[in-house]
Amino acid sequence: MSSDGSPLDVAGISSPSAPGLSETGAPPAFDFSLLLESQFVLVIVSALGIIWLGAHGSLRRPPSAAPAKLKKGEKRRDEEKFVEGLAASDAIRFPIMLAVVLVSLYYLLQWLEDPAILNRILRGYMGIMAIAGLGELTGDALDNLASLIFPAVWADGTGQVYRIDPDRRCQYVIDRETGEKIAIKGRETPLPGRLASLAPSERSRRLLWNIRHLLNEEWTARILLRGVFSAKFNLRASGLLGFAMAAVAAMAYHWTGWDALSNLLSIAMCYASFMMISPTSFGIGTMVLASLFVYDVAMVFYTPYMITVAKNIDAPIKLVFTGSKGVSMLGLGDIVVPGMLMALALRFDLFQHYQKQAKLEPVQLTTEMTSETSPGVTNITTTTTTQHRRIKAPYVDTRGQWGNRFWTTPVGRLLPVPEASEAIAATAFPKPYFYASLVGYAAGMLVTLTVMLMYRHGQPALLYLVPGVTGSLWLTGLRRGELKDMWGYTEDGSLDTEDVVVEVDGEGKVVKQRVEDGLKEEKKESGEGKAETETPGNDGDGEQKRAEKEVSSCELFVFSVTVPPPAEPAA
């Protein structure tokens, strides 16, 4: 946080000639009402809002949840697979890479003497890079908007839960005693509650079902340039529309340079960073933040590089807010760096939620021991013990669940009705670690602003944000007695075991677990293993050959988008 506006800092009040000290050498008096200035409030609210969105957007199936059962012919979505995140070596590599980039920009500016040339290049480059992030952000926002209009479940004023079946094109309730699905006559519409009155005719209802189908189903796009290139990928209507809107916004920013568009692209880049970058464990995340903490302090206090580059670079690498006290700038690094660990905390909360939903099923384990009592005589001793197999709860995708939560939450309540299990599992799970990190981040921002305004001198924001976020998380683990669980949690895939046999004590608590290799049948039966082990390169070669056979010899270029056909209502 700096009055000079570095990319990793916030700009506020200009530094006086004798910054930070009064004539007596004591710190100057500070008016805390300055923190209520609109520009500083926007800085804190914007940072917290972006982190909240990015953390929830990064949610995926935790290792403690079982993959959702697939329909016939359906493939596992890529975002459910665990990918490699930051490693311990990144704690050294990141500061070095950032320092090299910063110093290079500093001397490039000195050589060019005119920053306008570099700014045009960076604005064009960053605008193109932001299109992907803004497309994803806009697509996810459109998905949530569509879920508010076409939810999968809703509840009336009495708490009765209605579920919407797109295959049968009806709404039904579940009998609490028999578990039977009972279709509700007169509700052959995809709209919930009072919105159902907007589709009185059969024709209008059919149109709404088709619109719901187009918005919710994945499209398949295929591009073929004969003998040169072939690709096949899945997309959604929201993603396609979001990408188009992102391209328009990026071009408008390139030509106008408006701060509002720059802020929008900066938000999108932060959101995309949460999707792509994540520490694999709390230990690694803390190490990375600690190394960037040292980097930020060194570059702001002991070198001219950060301040000089920040003064001259005009690109979507920061949020800019104008107020009565000047221009405030919040750099993306102050959001993404601590936000990565905060997003991990939210996924850890989800991991714990599903871990508590797991059930223990008794299983008999047989052990055979061979012993030779005399020459030529062998005895076989069979021992049978009762252990417990941990059965994971199936994962509920968070996408589109915010609409379900809205329509199943009665007026005046914060949580959905108990029968809306999907909305509760996806959005209303306990979040103690994530909320603690939000409090720590907000406290760090307030301290940074206070020190900056009090001493009228730029402050490296990570100097206060890193202790605030890491301290709040580890103190929460200490208070809850879960430090061992925090330290052992990892997203490198090692915890994503399918069949685990555990030993429990007299109180039913797990004291030991081990994986049984012979209990992995679900994946073999579903055929998922083969689909997931195929590499994109090998599949691409086969796809190109298949695609070339499907087109006639005169077609050199093919671009097609197909949508699964909508289900017809049952007779």
Side-chain angles (χ1 to χ4, degrees):
M1 214 167 267
S2 169
S3 60
D4 306 289
S6 68
L8 291 174
D9 307 301
V10 172
I13 301 174
S14 301
S15 301
S17 56
L21 296 176
S22 64
E23 294 180 356
T24 61
F30 177 66
D31 182 7
F32 283 94
S33 64
L34 291 174
L35 295 175
L36 299 179
E37 290 287 337
S38 60
Q39 65 198 77
F40 298 133
V41 173
L42 282 174
V43 163
I44 298 176
V45 172
S46 298
L48 292 175
I50 294 171
I51 292 173
W52 191 91
L53 288 174
H56 282 82
S58 70
L59 287 176
R60 58 178 182 244
R61 180 181 65 85
S64 57
K69 292 185 178 180
L70 301 178
K71 298 179 181 178
K72 187 177 181 180
E74 187 179 3
K75 292 184 178 180
R76 186 75 59 197
R77 287 173 42 210
D78 290 339
E79 53 266 35
E80 291 186 7
K81 300 176 183 177
F82 286 86
V83 296
E84 184 178 358
L86 301 182
S89 59
D90 292 313
I92 300 175
R93 185 167 61 92
F94 267 29
I96 294 176
M97 291 175 57
L98 291 174
V100 169
V101 172
L102 185 64
V103 173
S104 300
L105 287 174
Y106 174 83
Y107 286 108
L108 183 59
L109 287 170
Q110 300 295 320
W111 178 69
L112 289 175
E113 297 182 355
D114 182 10
I117 300 175
L118 182 59
N119 282 332
R120 282 196 293 269
I121 297 174
L122 288 177
R123 283 170 57 181
Y125 173 75
M126 300 298 288
I128 295 174
M129 294 294 293
I131 290 178
L134 185 56
E136 186 168 8
L137 175 60
T138 307
D140 289 349
L142 292 175
D143 274 336
N144 286 325
L145 180 61
S147 71
L148 291 173
I149 304 174
F150 298 112
V153 61
W154 66 279
D156 59 18
T158 64
Q160 177 64 58
V161 174
Y162 296 81
R163 302 178 186 276
I164 299 174
D165 189 344
D167 295 328
R168 298 165 57 191
R169 291 195 175 186
C170 68
Q171 297 186 18
Y172 66 90
V173 297
I174 299 178
D175 189 281
R176 297 182 179 179
E177 296 181 358
T178 64
E180 181 184 358
K181 297 180 180 179
I182 304 175
I184 305 301
K185 192 172 182 179
R187 281 200 170 273
E188 293 80 16
T189 171
L191 299 179
R194 296 181 179 180
L195 292 183
S197 61
L198 299 178
S201 65
E202 177 64 26
R203 183 177 181 181
S204 60
R205 289 193 293 268
R206 187 183 302 111
L207 175 62
L208 288 173
W209 281 113
N210 290 335
I211 293 175
R212 185 185 191 276
H213 174 78
L214 290 176
L215 292 177
N216 291 337
E217 293 296 329
E218 285 192 343
W219 302 4
T220 301
R222 185 167 64 88
I223 304 176
L224 170 67
L225 182 59
R226 187 174 179 82
V228 178
F229 175 77
S230 177
K232 184 178 180 180
F233 53 92
N234 295 329
L235 52 84
R236 292 167 61 87
S238 57
L240 191 62
L241 182 58
F243 182 82
M245 296 171 64
V248 172
M251 289 188 292
Y253 167 74
H254 181 71
W255 293 110
T256 64
W258 290 347
D259 287 344
L261 291 176
S262 176
N263 289 345
L264 180 61
L265 296 180
S266 298
I267 292 172
M269 294 187 67
C270 288
Y271 188 79
S273 298
F274 287 116
M275 305 299 109
M276 298 183 296
I277 305 174
S278 173
T280 54
S281 67
F282 283 102
I284 291 176
T286 303
M287 290 171 56
V288 172
L289 262 65
S291 65
L292 294 176
F293 165 92
V294 175
Y295 161 83
D296 200 28
V297 172
M299 289 299 172
V300 172
F301 282 152
Y302 301 106
T303 72
Y305 302 130
M306 182 82 76
I307 293 175
T308 303
V309 170
K311 284 182 176 179
N312 293 279
I313 294 296
D314 181 18
I317 57 174
K318 55 186 178 292
L319 300 180
V320 181
F321 303 99
T322 303
S324 60
K325 298 299 181 181
V327 178
S328 296
M329 292 183 291
L330 177 64
L332 302 192
D334 291 334
I335 301 174
V336 175
V337 171
M340 293 187 302
L341 191 61
M342 297 167 71
L344 179 69
L346 181 61
R347 295 195 295 274
F348 179 64
D349 287 329
L350 186 62
F351 169 82
Q352 287 192 315
H353 172 69
Y354 277 99
Q355 193 174 45
K356 294 175 182 178
Q357 307 304 315
K359 299 180 180 179
L360 297 178
E361 178 185 88
V363 60
Q364 299 290 331
L365 296 183
T366 302
T367 304
E368 293 185 353
M369 299 187 63
T370 302
S371 61
E372 187 174 344
T373 57
S374 60
V377 179
T378 302
N379 290 336
I380 299 178
T381 304
T382 302
T383 304
T384 301
T385 59
T386 301
Q387 300 290 344
H388 292 79
R389 184 191 305 176
R390 178 182 290 156
I391 306 298
K392 300 179 181 179
Y395 175 62
V396 178
D397 195 351
T398 59
R399 185 179 61 183
Q401 292 293 341
W402 291 105
N404 294 340
R405 177 170 182 173
F406 173 81
W407 284 104
T408 55
T409 303
V411 177
R413 292 181 54 179
L414 296 177
L415 296 178
V417 296
E419 290 78 7
S421 57
E422 297 91 344
I424 294 175
T427 64
F429 59 92
K431 307 176 182 71
Y433 287 91
F434 181 63
Y435 289 151
S437 68
L438 287 177
V439 172
Y441 186 92
M445 288 289 291
L446 288 173
V447 172
T448 309
L449 285 169
T450 301
V451 174
M452 184 188 71
L453 294 173
M454 180 180 294
Y455 287 92
R456 298 178 181 270
H457 189 276
Q459 300 293 316
L462 294 184
L463 175 63
Y464 308 97
L465 293 177
V466 170
V469 172
T470 58
S472 63
L473 287 174
W474 290 107
L475 286 176
T476 301
L478 178 63
R479 183 177 179 275
R480 293 170 59 90
E482 297 173 346
L483 285 178
K484 183 178 180 180
D485 296 334
M486 283 185 65
W487 186 260
Y489 177 70
T490 178
E491 293 184 341
D492 61 2
S494 61
L495 296 181
D496 194 18
T497 54
E498 295 182 25
D499 299 280
V500 178
V501 174
V502 299
E503 296 180 7
V504 298
D505 57 17
E507 298 179 357
K509 295 182 180 179
V510 177
V511 295
K512 185 179 180 181
Q513 70 178 37
R514 62 191 180 92
V515 179
E516 288 294 322
D517 295 332
L519 300 177
K520 300 179 179 180
E521 299 296 335
E522 178 182 355
K523 189 172 182 179
K524 295 180 181 179
E525 293 177 359
S526 63
E528 294 176 34
K530 182 179 179 181
E532 294 180 358
T533 55
E534 291 178 356
T535 61
N538 294 336
D539 183 68
D541 295 338
E543 180 62 34
Q544 180 173 348
K545 294 178 180 179
R546 290 192 296 271
E548 290 180 354
K549 292 179 180 179
E550 294 175 2
V551 299
S552 60
S553 58
C554 62
E555 291 179 309
L556 299 179
F557 175 75
V558 174
F559 174 75
S560 65
V561 178
T562 59
V563 184
E568 294 297 332

